[in-house]
Amino acid sequence: MRIACLMFVHETVTFLANRTTIEDFTYPGSPATGEALLNAEPRSYMGGFVQVAREYADVELVGIESPLWPRTGSGSGWVTRETFEHFTSAMVRELRAKGPFDGVFMALHGAMAVDGIARPEAELAHRVREAVGPKAKLAGTFDPHGNEDAQFLRHAELGFTVKYFPHYDSHLQGQRAARTLVRTIRGTYAPTHAVVKVPIITPTVMQWTGASPWMDLVQRALVWEAREPDLYMNVFFGFPWSDVPDAGMTIQAIANGDHGLAHRAAVDVADFAWRRRKELVRAATIHSIRDGVRHAAEAVSAGRTPVVLADHSDRSGHATWLLRELLASGHTGALGRVLIATVADPEAVDAAVPGEAFDRAVGGLADESAGEPVRVTGRVLARDEAGRRGGSWARIDIGGGSEVVISRYLTQIIELEQLRAMGIEPGAFEVIAIKSRVHFRRGFDDSGFAPTILLVEPDEPFLGTVRLEALPYRHVEIGRFYPYGDPSGPEVM
Ligand SMILES: [Zn+2]
């Protein structure tokens, strides 16, 4: 049994001014091919898939040359058409040259947005299908932030979506994809699916599955899987920062030959989401930056530290709104020791020399959502020398035990270990200001580390705002979604 494996992922913030290009996907190690691709992400989809597929003595895996995550992470806009064509046409050529294949595994995300291609993951599956022929079986894995509808499953037999946010189960979904793809090739699993679109659109900061009501929604899908053998449920929360026609929430169910079961399960989970829609769209409290910093000072004086101040809305990484407010408030001493990690500014990283003084305006300017640069003065404590192009971060001591970390790209601090790897002991700070929506709960909340967590965004509804009605959508009709309009309810596709 021969299975080709490939990967093509991006979470595209189409409201950012920069484009995601071939160059962003091309760096030492990427694209990856053969064993390097199969070993590229051992804790994610590919790792889970390869681990289980290799338990079968008769399965041969072929790693097709694939780009890894772009350097920009999710801090970049529209993937250019040229980029999509460049990588997919190479994949198709290689699939044709190295075939025949019994199956293809595609590690995907679902929120890639490409100039001129409305549904890139479905288009990729379509091209892969043409390359490997009608008899091969196709499986994909997805992120819960994927914007998907029924199109992908018209070209592929199987899809498996991460259930938790933070994304704890990507390896598990890779494992399930392997087992079910092998069964489908052998003929012991006959995939049939149902897809229901739920007209709810939510900012990602709402979608934390560690608490109700998002936890309940995931639980509903898990219970279906637990009680029905061979049933798989996908709950796409959606990614509203991608202005694409299949945005919004989607429920998929895949069953073994029993279409009625897939239909019942998908409709049930969709109806459940619809009944809980009021709670789903306002699951998190968002403060203005000024109020957030004020609440942080109160928490510090009450001893409820460390405090996490998360600017969930910064999509470029360059935003300085929280930095400015913290530097202004820090002079009063009410915040104690403050760690600001991170503000993106590649030139400032290049200019930082360990041991020397630092005095320059950092961040800002990427677009209006980033604000103006803010002057940071102090001493350079350390700089990452291992990274590409002379380091990816620098630590600036700004006095009073406080620090600012500047980074080359948008950097989400989600684990305490990321800070420790920079030589920072997170427990030494009363306030830790980060750029993250939900991912940080992995290291700061689920671990019990931070008793106070405050989510903030600027007063203006910039591109990462929870006020989605302010975004310049061209492909999403926001009025067709709750809570921005008055849709009638879920729709079976
Ligand atoms: Zn995600």
Side-chain angles (χ1 to χ4, degrees):
M1 190 184 293
R2 301 187 75 235
I3 300 176
C5 297
L6 56 89
M7 169 172 171
F8 200 6
V9 292
H10 192 229
E11 186 180 77
T12 310
V13 179
T14 60
F15 301 109
L16 286 168
N18 57 345
R19 300 277 145 154
T20 309
T21 62
I22 295 170
E23 199 209 355
D24 293 324
F25 283 102
T26 306
Y27 51 86
S30 176
T33 189
E35 279 298 304
L37 175 72
L38 301 180
N39 296 325
E41 296 201 330
R43 292 181 58 84
S44 190
Y45 308 111
M46 191 63 79
F49 186 89
V50 170
Q51 183 190 69
V52 165
R54 289 202 158 147
E55 287 177 5
Y56 301 93
D58 60 336
V59 170
E60 180 200 349
L61 299 180
V62 178
I64 301 295
E65 185 176 278
S66 304
L68 306 186
W69 269 92
R71 283 190 284 221
T72 52
S74 57
S76 58
W78 289 102
V79 176
T80 66
R81 178 80 184 246
E82 181 197 14
T83 305
F84 184 80
E85 298 294 346
H86 172 82
F87 290 112
T88 56
S89 61
M91 287 171 183
V92 164
R93 270 198 309 276
E94 193 176 344
L95 285 169
R96 287 186 194 278
K98 293 189 175 162
F101 291 104
D102 303 291
V104 181
F105 170 64
M106 294 170 275
L108 306 172
H109 183 289
M112 179 183 287
V114 180
D115 269 329
I117 295 179
R119 292 166 178 79
E121 291 83 7
E123 177 60 24
L124 175 63
H126 175 61
R127 294 181 188 191
V128 167
R129 167 65 69 204
E130 287 188 329
V132 296
K135 284 202 294 212
K137 308 299 179 191
L138 275 50
T141 45
F142 290 89
D143 190 281
H145 297 115
N147 291 314
E148 290 297 315
D149 52 18
Q151 279 297 328
F152 178 83
L153 291 175
R154 293 202 176 113
H155 304 295
E157 280 77 12
L158 298 164
F160 299 85
T161 304
V162 157
K163 288 207 173 47
Y164 305 102
F165 186 25
H167 311 68
Y168 288 126
D169 56 324
S170 43
H171 185 270
L172 174 67
Q173 301 306 336
Q175 290 187 324
R176 302 168 113 195
R179 202 170 293 118
T180 318
L181 181 58
V182 168
R183 289 183 61 198
T184 302
I185 293 167
R186 286 184 176 155
T188 60
Y189 194 95
T192 176
H193 66 262
V195 179
V196 183
K197 200 81 191 160
V198 186
I200 296 173
I201 194 163
T202 51
T204 44
V205 69
M206 299 294 162
Q207 301 165 352
W208 178 38
T209 59
S212 289
W214 290 87
M215 178 188 266
D216 308 330
L217 176 60
V218 165
Q219 180 64 15
R220 191 86 173 188
L222 287 169
V223 167
W224 271 106
E225 290 183 347
R227 75 187 189 198
E228 296 291 346
D230 291 347
L231 179 69
Y232 297 104
M233 302 299 301
N234 296 331
V235 182
F236 286 100
F237 309 154
F239 189 69
W241 325 114
S242 259
D243 181 14
V244 294
D246 49 357
M249 185 184 286
T250 303
I251 312 294
Q252 298 175 338
I254 297 176
N256 186 4
D258 186 345
H259 185 261
L261 172 62
H263 179 87
R264 272 198 315 284
V267 167
D268 174 78
V269 174
D271 285 348
F272 179 82
W274 187 244
R275 286 199 297 280
R276 302 286 296 272
R277 62 190 178 279
K278 282 198 180 72
E279 300 151 80
L280 288 167
V281 303
R282 49 169 112 100
T285 303
I286 310 298
H287 304 278
S288 70
I289 290 199
R290 181 156 296 179
D291 283 352
V293 171
R294 192 166 49 79
H295 291 316
E298 289 160 9
V300 169
S301 69
R304 295 191 307 271
T305 57
V307 177
V308 168
L309 263 174
D311 177 0
H312 78 91
S313 69
D314 182 10
R315 287 285 166 179
S316 70
H318 293 250
T320 54
W321 310 97
L322 188 52
L323 171 68
R324 181 186 302 278
E325 187 70 22
L326 285 168
L327 291 182
S329 310
H331 295 306
T332 66
L335 294 171
R337 288 155 296 184
V338 180
L339 172 66
I340 299 154
T342 67
V343 179
D345 187 332
E347 284 93 44
V349 174
D350 288 337
V353 180
E356 294 198 355
F358 185 91
D359 183 358
R360 71 185 274 146
V362 304
L365 301 182
D367 59 29
E368 59 167 12
S369 74
E372 295 293 315
V374 168
R375 186 176 172 194
V376 171
T377 56
R379 195 172 54 85
V380 181
L381 286 171
R383 193 175 84 159
D384 166 40
E385 298 299 338
R388 291 175 292 275
R389 287 198 258 153
S392 54
W393 52 263
R395 291 170 52 196
I396 316 296
D397 172 1
I398 58 169
S402 295
E403 276 191 41
V404 176
V405 180
I406 46 180
S407 60
R408 185 169 300 280
Y409 298 106
L410 166 71
T411 303
Q412 279 202 60
I413 300 296
I414 60 181
E415 302 265 19
L416 302 177
E417 286 313 313
Q418 283 172 274
L419 295 172
R420 293 193 178 115
M422 298 176 183
I424 297 169
E425 178 40 53
F429 297 90
E430 277 76 37
V431 176
I432 301 177
I434 56 174
K435 308 280 182 65
S436 183
R437 293 151 281 283
V438 170
H439 292 96
F440 74 94
R441 295 198 184 261
R442 188 186 277 258
F444 291 84
D445 193 1
D446 290 357
S447 65
F449 176 78
T452 305
I453 286 170
L454 297 160
L455 301 163
V456 299
E457 73 170 60
D459 294 334
E460 295 85 347
F462 293 124
L463 61 89
T465 180
V466 293
R467 292 159 281 174
L468 300 182
E469 74 278 12
L471 299 181
Y473 285 115
R474 288 188 300 120
H475 306 288
V476 174
E477 282 180 56
I478 194 83
R480 290 178 46 236
F481 293 90
Y482 183 83
Y484 302 97
D486 188 24
S488 57
E491 243 175 80
V492 178
M493 305 208 79

